[in-house]
Amino acid sequence: MQKIPVIRDKKSSDILIIPSDEVVKIECIRDKEYIIHTVTDKYYWAASLEAFEEWLFEEGFRLIDQMNVVNMNHVTEYEARKGTVKLQTGSAPTYKTASAAWIHSEHIINVMSLLRKMKDLDHGIPEEEDDIFETILAQEEDHRFARSYAMIKALYEKRKAEILLEESELRYKSLFEHNPDPICSFNLNGQITSMNPVMYAATGYMEQELLNKTIDALLFPEHYAVWSANFLNTLNGSPSHCEIALRHKDGHRIELSMHGFPILVGKQIAGVFMIGQDISERKRAEEMLLRSEKLSIVGQMAAGVAHEIRNPLTSLKGFVQLMQSRVDGFDHYFNIMLEELERINFIVSEFLVIAKPQSVVFQPKDPVTILQNTILLTGSQAIIHNVHIDTHAEPDLPYINCDENQIKQVFINILNNSVDSMKDGGTITTEFKLHEDGRVLMRFTDQGCGIPQDRLPRLGEPFYTTKEKGTGLGLMVTFKIIENHGGEMKIRSELGKGTTVEIYMPAVKPPAAD
């Protein structure tokens, strides 16, 4: 929309700017002097009309009288007998008129019809269009009028194309911004040029943190080569697909299945679109399935191994009892041997937990007492490795509802792992207290070699271990026992500084005294 510089009256020196859309007619007083009419007011304009003829014509102004140039967009009525047009904007009651006596009435009616059709585009492109332009142009023989109609048709087609382009852009924008999958685009140098809100939400970064940067900072090192190969393949014009992991701003992994498509501008590739799908849940399901298959194999092995171990255990126990009945003075040692054989038998029984559910007896037990009894069994192993076990427990600590033998096995596994991690000796600190959430917290902290951060999430999987000769079954059984007791176990570690194991168990009241 053009702007017209005007003055209030001939004596005024203050220039005002009014939009051309508010002008209803331009009235010629004399050469290079005009009155600019709006519906409610009038101004003066001292300039050459020819200088503005082209844009005035494009915006719908027509010379319909020797003295009047009228904005045909505001013609609401035409009285052929009087030779006048009525000029009105919107629904305002005020209006002005202009003389049109010398112009053929049919021309004014045609212009009004065509401009009205053009104005209808503001409400959208009609599904079925009547070809009014071709009809009027075919019937018009006067080249002056034909030029006017052709100009309006050209403006109509231009506006129609703009609307179609705008609608196309809005559809693309809606598809891009409201797509449930993460989408991003890259230029030829691999720099991010746009990302939809889902991509920002998935990565945890703000828009200004990622735009005009490469995706390398978000990739895990093992996926650099895969990403680069697929990006280059897409730049060569071929759609690509790969599965990669991005690093969220807080550090956790986001598993994505990425499809790449070239961005074509004309016939040239200008960049790459990448549309992702979050497959983190699928990956976890696959891992759980693999873990389940491992557990199935372990269960079958457990049943066979337990059977084979129990047979010689029965023989050993019988011979120890026989020797105890025949040899005097060594009862203390024989009792220790029998206790150790019973513990081996218990461990074998716990091994069967992997193979099938075991019947356990849950009773309120003092966790500190269970720990002390466990330390008696593992104390010799700790002493051999120059490891001291330091115990701290809050007074009047609540009991836990548990199977004592299973919890003892948990403590044995944790203490043995701590001892094994401290080749040069050190201290294992145990802390038993009531947590603020009402559960009993049992914390074990060692000064061992620690565990790499990338291995922590896999602890507890069968056959996954950080020990050279380990099987990974000890922690798996430990996790399962705590889970079956309604508890929770967390492991924190720092390489070279040690490991902390925290067990949270529901608290219960001690049993009533007899």
Side-chain angles (χ1 to χ4, degrees), residues 266-278:
K267 296 184 179 180
Q268 298 293 322
I269 295 177
V272 170
F273 265 127
M274 286 289 180
I275 302 177
Q277 183 180 13
D278 192 336

Side-chain angles (χ1 to χ4, degrees), residues 377-479:
L377 296 176
T378 59
S380 58
Q381 184 75 6
I383 293 172
I384 293 173
H385 288 82
N386 194 29
V387 174
H388 174 67
I389 302 176
D390 192 7
T391 304
H392 302 276
E394 286 184 352
D396 302 323
L397 188 69
Y399 280 29
I400 59 174
N401 195 37
C402 67
D403 181 277
E404 182 175 353
N405 287 331
Q406 286 195 345
I407 297 300
K408 188 182 294 183
Q409 183 62 47
V410 168
F411 292 165
I412 289 172
N413 288 343
I414 294 173
L415 291 173
N416 282 343
N417 285 341
S418 295
V419 170
D420 291 343
S421 70
M422 294 187 287
K423 301 299 182 183
D424 299 324
T427 300
I428 300 174
T429 303
T430 64
E431 183 183 4
F432 283 33
K433 65 178 184 178
L434 184 64
H435 194 256
E436 58 186 16
D437 62 7
R439 295 183 295 177
V440 175
L441 169 60
M442 299 173 284
R443 181 183 290 128
F444 298 80
T445 304
D446 63 47
Q447 300 171 332
C449 58
I451 305 169
Q453 292 297 313
D454 59 335
R455 295 191 179 187
L456 286 175
R458 297 194 61 187
L459 293 180
E461 292 185 14
F463 304 121
Y464 185 82
T465 179
T466 58
K467 297 180 182 180
E468 182 179 351
K469 298 181 180 181
T471 64
L473 298 176
L475 268 182
M476 186 194 72
V477 172
T478 301
F479 271 105

Side-chain angles (χ1 to χ4, degrees), residues 7 59 71 140 207 318 349 380 389 425 477:
I7 55 176
E59 296 203 8
N71 188 341
E140 186 56 58
E207 182 175 357
S349 298
S380 58
I389 302 176
V477 172

